[in-house]
Amino acid sequence: MTALLTCAMAFSMMQLFLLGALGPRLVDELGISPTVLGLTTTIGFGTAAVLSPAGGRIVDRIGPRRALVALLLVSAAALALIGAAPGAGFLLVAVALGGLPQALANPATNKAILAGVPPVRRGSVTGMKQSGVQLGAFAAGLPLAALAAGVGWRGAVWTAAGTAVLAALWTLRALPADPPVKGARSRLSLVPRGAIAWLTVFSLLLGCGIASVNTYLALFGAQRLGLGPTAAGALVAVLGVAGIAGRVGWSKAARPGRAEWLPGWLAAGAVGAALLLAAALLVHPLVWMAAVAVGVFAVSGNAVSMVLVMQRAAPGRAGQDSALVSAGFFAGFAVGPPVFGVLAEAGHYGPGWLLVAAEFAAACAVAMTWAVRERRQRAMSPA
């Protein structure tokens, strides 16, 4: 089940990693601007943010197996449409469709873990399945980018679409049937509370910075550092591999009592990663170190957030609480790239990376404030 959930997470965001890794080719062949490239991320994650609360409620009602099959089939459809896009308008519509799998991904996979994994293993399994997002980044940045060099970017995207269909069939065979749909409907809550509210704000700020890196890292390497399209795509792959290691390692370490402090420390490390990107304008090889640091620190923060959600979720609300935190993360992904895109189109990558550092610093402040409040509340509570 761990492998399957990891695969589902990879496909939930595959479209956006592909657009980032293939960005130089899309800019050349479709004639889209860097601002429009950033707009793809805005539309994809904006749609996911809007749909996430309802998606979490749906998962709580229908069960993880049905939700995961739907996720993978809609992912396949969105990828197929991206591969057929004749221009920017069609591309943006296809990306919007891909927002639905993103909205279902964390609620469905978290629900599956709570239903089928013993508590002692949930942290490590969560880290593995969250690393699936970075596995998608690796696949987009290396094998699929290399495939695009041979068969064209459309052929590479269509290959990913066909693989998503196979994964949907695998889900039907591998996961146990969902319990019968319950007749009683739980109330849809759009306002996060308590720990979930803090994690939502943290995820919003973290998402702003990560999305800018994901969307513009390859273009930055090609336009300002002199890398070819394949090498620029490899930057995304390096980020993905580092993110896999970081998400698995930090999630396993996120035990109660320690987990509350990890988001703040990871965000602090992400600030350093963003500063390395700015420094790469002067010392170009630093971009590779920066890609590793973004994966180890920034990207890992979201996995730790999901572990905390499962530790803090109210009974029967794992799907909705996961969705609310995910909505914050997706909203950050929608907001960050357009602002960065304006700077990138003007050639101001240095100020852009400093903006990303400021977003990570704000996420660090929120996380640390929450961790301090949690420690004080535990100290004041009766033994």
Side-chain angles (χ1 to χ4, degrees):
M1 185 175 72
T2 302
L4 177 58
L5 297 181
T6 303
C7 183
M9 292 298 295
F11 277 110
S12 72
M13 287 178 55
M14 177 70 74
Q15 56 159 350
L16 295 174
F17 283 122
L18 271 173
L19 290 172
L22 301 177
R25 289 185 170 90
L26 292 173
V27 169
D28 292 339
E29 294 183 27
L30 291 184
I32 63 175
S33 68
T35 300
V36 171
L37 184 63
L39 191 59
T40 62
T41 301
T42 299
I43 289 179
F45 281 99
T47 304
V50 171
L51 295 178
S52 282
R57 186 189 188 195
I58 289 170
V59 172
D60 281 336
R61 280 181 51 78
I62 70 173
R65 182 173 181 256
R66 297 184 186 98
L68 287 169
V69 171
L71 180 160
L72 290 162
L73 292 179
V74 176
S75 294
L79 287 165
L81 290 174
I82 289 171
F90 195 98
L91 181 68
L92 295 177
V93 171
V95 168
L97 177 63
L100 178 57
Q102 293 169 242
L104 294 173
N106 280 316
T109 53
N110 287 355
K111 194 86 171 178
I113 289 171
L114 288 172
V117 177
V120 69
R121 294 189 58 240
R122 286 174 185 168
S124 59
V125 173
T126 300
M128 284 297 300
K129 69 96 174 175
Q130 289 296 132
S131 74
V133 175
Q134 302 318 119
L135 179 64
F138 173 79
L142 197 60
L144 288 173
L147 181 63
V151 302
W153 70 269
R154 296 183 190 274
V157 175
W158 285 331
T159 299
T163 308
V165 173
L166 295 177
L169 296 175
W170 177 24
T171 301
L172 283 172
R173 293 178 60 87
L175 289 188
D178 292 312
V181 177
K182 297 179 180 180
R185 297 187 177 185
S186 61
R187 184 174 60 87
L188 176 61
S189 174
L190 299 177
V191 180
R193 293 179 174 84
I196 302 303
W198 285 96
L199 290 171
T200 300
V201 177
F202 167 77
S203 298
L204 169 67
L205 295 165
L206 190 73
C208 285
I210 294 175
S212 297
V213 178
N214 285 346
T215 305
Y216 288 103
L217 181 60
L219 199 61
F220 172 60
Q223 290 186 342
R224 295 300 302 274
L225 306 185
L227 300 179
T230 301
L235 281 172
V236 181
V238 168
L239 187 157
V241 171
I244 291 171
R247 286 188 164 196
V248 172
W250 290 119
S251 295
K252 190 174 182 180
R255 299 182 181 91
R258 178 192 299 173
E260 294 83 356
W261 295 97
L262 286 180
W265 289 117
L266 292 175
V271 174
L275 294 177
L276 281 175
L277 285 170
L281 286 164
L282 300 176
V283 184
H284 293 182
L286 285 178
V287 72
W288 298 98
M289 187 184 301
V292 171
V294 170
V296 169
F297 295 110
V299 170
S300 301
N302 182 245
V304 173
S305 294
M306 288 297 110
V307 175
L308 283 163
V309 168
M310 284 189 281
Q311 291 175 356
R312 302 302 183 91
R317 282 188 51 92
Q320 288 193 55
D321 286 348
S322 298
L324 289 171
V325 175
S326 296
F329 192 58
F330 296 152
F333 266 66
V335 171
V339 178
F340 192 101
V342 173
L343 296 171
E345 193 156 6
H348 301 320
Y349 278 100
W353 297 131
L354 293 179
L355 172 64
V356 170
E359 291 162 348
F360 289 150
C364 177
V366 169
M368 287 299 190
T369 301
W370 173 64
V372 170
R373 286 169 57 93
E374 288 285 297
R375 183 176 65 178
R376 288 176 179 172
Q377 288 177 359
R378 282 199 301 269
M380 293 173 61
S381 62

